[in-house]
Amino acid sequence: MSERTGLAAEAEELDAADPLAAVRGEFVLDDVTYLDGNSLGALPAHVPGRVEDVVRRQWGELRIRSWDESGWWTAPERIGDRIAPLVGAAAGQVVVGDSTSVNVFKALVAAVRMAQEDGAAGADGRGSGGSGGGSGAGAVRDEILVDATTFPTDGYIADSAARLTGCTLRPVLPAEVPSALADRGDRTAAVLLNHVDYRTGRLHDLPALTAAVHAAGAYAVWDLCHSAGALPVGLDEHGVDLAVGCTYKYLNGGPGSPAYLYVRRGLQHRFDSPLPGWNSHAEPFGMRPDYAPAAGAVRGRVGTPDILSLLALEAALDVWDGDGVSVAAVRAKSLALTDFFLRCVGAYVPEGRAESLTPAAHAERGSQVALRCDGAGDVMKRLIERGVVGDYRPPDVLRFGFTPLYVGFADVERAARVLAETLTG
């Protein structure tokens, strides 16, 4: 038996033993090997019917009554509570709405405001809610640290937030955050980090980095776009202050589905949003000229929620309700899939034609594999023509995302085989 035949047979055995294999049938799929769920998740099969009900009955028949009778008004908190266990949070701390970019802005500005308030008060303002040290009387918190390798929009938003709050923006690599904080952490107000690097798939050490931020008396803001729904996050367990994430990747909420904002319970009474819209008012229908924030995570809301995409997301989250479908099970399969893909690439692709940028260590790997190769843009076009869909990031990176709910081991073997044929053809 050739190595290629052996790996194909192993893939069949792994698929037959996969405890999540049945979940694949809950998605709309075809003969394409779809490895781009880290950009846009596949469509859960029951979502179109649910959206049709929202459009035809809730909107078409009930109309304005649906804000109450169909639960539209409370959807941002209700769906936030559906997402909360997927990111390791108790109920009442996640609200859904707006885009990731808007939520990054809200979270980062609010974090700086709290840090500067701590310094002005000369007390540990974070203390009543949990962890971290105080800054002492008169301390000036006028610096924001941002992941130097961040997704561009996070950097743009961080720069704007810094200008708005009178801070200096300091880009640093995630691994350098502890030393940067040791250097002048008494000036740091907030640190914005990505849990998983969007280019390489590297998983950063959320517990250790959060602890380092807290030890400096600053606030930790995490972007979970490439981790939520793919691996354990542990927001409550690790004392994360604020977090944001999108829902159209591993949560399969659909193109442009709304993002979410996590505000740790102990900080909610201090969360001062830079976008105080009427939906976050304590009396939204009081129509008062002065703003009074609502209690709890509702403070993270701004304007009228996007009901169609919001309820499509709610329907998509039903796939997590199945027996045996858990973040732990998804993570175990994710690691097995990416391990197997790397094995197949190593066996099929000639040496020197593709280099993995994704860490081999499980503790440092998200749910994607990034390969560097010459002519990556053209290679990806040819892969897509042959029915293997990943994506390309300039100048030379092929990205393959593995969504364990619907990607199987035969998909993985086929992708590596077609890649090898494309590179040598």
Side-chain angles (χ1 to χ4, degrees):
M1 180 184 294
S2 69
E3 186 171 28
R4 178 168 296 187
T5 303
L7 286 170
E10 184 178 348
E12 290 184 10
E13 294 174 0
L14 290 169
D15 280 332
D18 175 18
L20 293 176
V23 184
R24 182 184 179 99
E26 297 186 30
F27 290 85
V28 176
L29 300 168
D30 49 26
D31 293 335
V32 168
T33 296
Y34 188 67
L35 301 181
D36 207 8
N38 54 326
S39 285
L40 177 64
L43 172 67
H46 66 284
V47 168
R50 191 78 61 84
V51 171
E52 182 177 14
D53 177 71
V54 173
V55 172
R56 293 189 180 276
R57 184 181 64 84
Q58 296 180 30
W59 179 15
E61 297 175 15
L62 296 178
R63 292 178 287 273
I64 196 71
R65 292 162 53 194
S66 277
W67 285 105
D68 290 323
E69 296 179 26
S70 300
W72 287 1
W73 184 260
T74 56
E77 300 90 72
R78 182 179 72 244
I79 300 169
D81 284 346
R82 295 281 301 276
I83 292 173
L86 304 181
V87 292
Q93 300 176 101
V94 178
V95 66
V96 179
D98 306 311
S99 67
T100 304
S101 300
V102 172
N103 283 319
V104 168
F105 180 73
K106 288 186 282 189
L108 196 54
V109 172
V112 174
R113 286 176 173 177
M114 288 188 288
Q116 294 178 342
E117 181 183 77
D118 294 345
D124 182 4
R126 304 177 67 256
S128 62
S131 53
S135 58
V140 178
R141 297 280 177 172
D142 60 358
E143 187 170 81
I144 297 172
L145 300 189
V146 63
D147 182 347
T149 58
T150 191
F151 188 77
T153 195
D154 285 23
Y156 307 154
I157 295 292
D159 179 69
S160 179
R163 288 185 282 114
L164 179 70
T165 57
C167 288
T168 299
L169 188 65
R170 185 182 179 194
V172 296
L173 295 174
E176 297 171 352
V177 166
S179 59
L181 291 169
D183 178 32
R184 55 178 190 266
D186 61 334
R187 303 289 298 273
T188 304
V191 181
L192 173 62
L193 294 166
N194 292 263
H195 197 191
V196 174
D197 185 283
Y198 80 99
R199 287 189 190 87
T200 67
R202 176 179 290 277
L203 172 64
H204 297 303
D205 191 342
L206 181 147
L209 290 171
T210 300
V213 172
H214 288 170
Y219 290 80
V221 181
W222 284 91
D223 182 329
L224 309 178
C225 285
H226 288 269
S227 57
L231 53 91
V233 178
L235 294 179
D236 285 354
E237 178 186 358
H238 304 301
V240 169
D241 301 307
L242 300 138
V244 303
C246 66
T247 60
Y248 45 78
K249 301 183 190 297
Y250 297 108
L251 297 180
N252 309 299
S257 57
Y260 58 89
L261 169 68
Y262 164 89
V263 183
R264 182 160 56 84
R265 195 179 309 282
L267 296 177
Q268 289 175 1
H269 67 291
R270 301 184 59 212
F271 181 81
D272 182 8
S273 175
L275 298 172
W278 75 290
N279 268 226
S280 63
H281 198 284
E283 296 181 69
F285 293 97
M287 304 302 171
R288 302 183 183 281
D290 57 316
Y291 179 74
V298 177
R299 289 190 181 202
R301 292 177 63 161
V302 183
T304 306
D306 188 338
I307 291 299
L308 298 183
S309 61
L310 189 61
L311 298 187
L313 165 62
E314 183 175 34
L317 293 171
D318 287 351
V319 299
W320 290 91
D321 295 338
D323 292 339
V325 181
S326 66
V327 175
V330 164
R331 176 58 169 167
K333 184 177 176 182
S334 165
L335 291 172
L337 287 169
T338 49
D339 278 345
F340 190 60
F341 182 68
L342 288 168
R343 278 181 56 205
C344 290
V345 169
Y348 295 166
V349 176
E351 186 173 356
R353 297 301 300 271
E355 171 195 4
S356 176
L357 302 178
T358 303
H362 286 182
E364 299 175 4
R365 187 194 310 165
S367 199
Q368 73 178 55
V369 172
L371 301 177
R372 175 181 287 149
C373 74
D374 293 337
D378 181 62
V379 170
M380 183 53 67
K381 288 180 182 177
R382 292 160 61 197
L383 286 173
I384 292 172
E385 289 170 357
R386 297 192 57 182
V388 175
V389 177
D391 66 18
Y392 157 70
R393 287 294 178 266
D396 56 4
V397 176
L398 303 172
R399 292 196 321 170
F400 300 95
F402 299 83
T403 304
L405 295 177
Y406 56 77
V407 171
F409 292 90
D411 296 320
V412 167
E413 188 276 335
R414 180 192 178 205
R417 175 164 38 85
V418 174
L419 173 63
E421 293 167 358
T422 301
L423 289 175
T424 58

